[in-house]
Amino acid sequence: MQKGAILVLSGPSGAGKSTIINAASEQIGEYYFSISTTTRKPRTGEENGRDYFFVTKDAFEEDIKAGNFLEYAQVHGNYYGTSLKPVREALERGKLVIFDIDVQGHRLVRAKMNDITTSAFITPPSLDALEQRLRARCTDDEAVIVNRINNAKDEITAVGEYDFTIINDTVELAAKQFVIVAKAARLKQSTEDEEKFVTQWLANN
Ligand code: ADP
Ligand code: 5GP
């Protein structure tokens, strides 16, 4: 049976993570996209339960207390978190679980589930290109864009913590690279599986 695996994608807001996942979705086989919970307001076109679970700060803090998050962080002044239960269920069903989370979230997932985790940092070719894309997306006002650009200057310094870097110059090429990374993520063996394999390999002589 195929084993579950985790693929963490990070990168500045506006890097093209959603665009690349959508462009590659038919070529990466069955996967489960982890829908995060957030206290930020929905953007035009975003749907509760599809893009995020949009909740109040109080509700989010209740979930923290109840231990419902695999990881959570404050990004751009809002809470964002990954619920543990659906992720655990998808892993048990052998799915590739894809996270779109920030660099703090990546560190927390590594600390808890390092041996089944592969990660990729996605970024436009330059800060200038990021700014142009955020403006072209037309979903955020000026103050939000400035905040996201400032955050991106910090986030890019964490690129070395990731297994792969995908530079999103053209969507076509970035999606091709993403397919390769997703296939590699599925091949990653947990420490437990490696130990079992060695035991069986030695026994069959
Ligand atoms: P993220 O999910 O990382 O926040 P999006 O996928 O929403 O980013 O992309 C941000 C904006 O940039 C969107 O308007 C998208 O259409 C555009 N975009 C994504 N990739 C490219 C690209 N390679 N070239 C030009 N524009 C792009
Ligand atoms: P946006 O507001 O543009 O949707 O997301 C802002 C940032 O929050 C992005 O860097 C995104 O990857 C990150 N993010 C989204 N969901 C989560 C989550 O569940 N946990 C963490 N740690 N970061 C998240």
Side-chain angles (χ1 to χ4, degrees):
M1 197 188 93
Q2 193 169 35
K3 290 283 180 184
I6 290 176
L7 175 55
V8 173
L9 302 179
S10 302
S13 184
K17 299 179 292 292
S18 320
T19 306
I20 291 168
I21 297 170
N22 286 338
S25 68
E26 297 203 342
Q27 295 148 69
I28 57 176
E30 252 194 89
Y31 69 96
Y32 170 77
F33 179 76
S34 166
I35 301 167
S36 296
T37 301
T38 184
T39 58
R40 93 148 155 74
K41 299 274 167 289
R43 290 188 195 120
T44 314
E46 282 184 332
E47 260 178 50
N48 189 38
R50 188 194 65 188
D51 300 287
Y52 280 104
F53 295 106
F54 296 99
V55 300
T56 61
K57 192 164 175 256
D58 283 351
F60 198 102
E61 287 175 345
E62 280 301 309
D63 271 350
I64 296 176
K65 271 195 221 139
N68 290 342
F69 289 118
L70 166 64
E71 64 74 35
Y72 70 90
Q74 292 220 25
V75 189
H76 316 131
N78 287 301
Y79 278 123
Y80 292 81
T82 306
S83 295
L84 186 55
K85 194 163 166 257
V87 170
R88 199 185 270 150
E89 285 169 359
L91 288 173
E92 276 163 13
R93 281 184 278 125
K95 292 258 161 63
L96 176 68
V97 181
I98 300 180
F99 294 140
D100 171 349
I101 58 177
D102 83 324
V103 300
Q104 307 169 76
H106 172 241
R107 288 180 193 132
L108 294 166
V109 171
R110 285 269 173 213
K112 288 188 179 164
M113 293 171 142
N114 185 42
D115 70 341
I116 57 165
T117 300
T118 300
S119 61
F121 193 92
I122 299 182
T123 174
S126 65
L127 187 62
D128 210 35
L130 174 68
E131 186 166 349
Q132 283 172 26
R133 287 181 198 176
L134 280 173
R135 290 191 192 288
R137 188 164 69 177
C138 297
T139 51
D140 304 301
D141 63 33
E142 184 58 26
V144 172
I145 290 177
V146 170
N147 190 6
R148 284 170 193 269
I149 287 167
N150 283 333
N151 213 48
K153 291 180 193 164
D154 281 340
E155 280 189 298
I156 193 76
T157 63
V159 68
E161 296 172 30
Y162 288 75
D163 296 317
F164 300 101
T165 308
I166 296 177
I167 297 171
N168 177 16
D169 193 350
T170 69
V171 175
E172 196 192 357
L173 186 58
K176 271 192 192 149
Q177 293 180 347
F178 176 66
V179 172
I180 296 168
V181 170
K183 288 188 175 162
R186 282 187 200 276
L187 291 175
K188 185 148 180 169
Q189 296 270 326
S190 70
T191 312
E192 194 189 330
D193 288 339
E194 281 166 356
E195 283 166 2
K196 267 193 211 150
F197 173 76
V198 171
T199 310
Q200 278 171 9
W201 194 88
L202 290 171
N204 290 327
N205 63 357

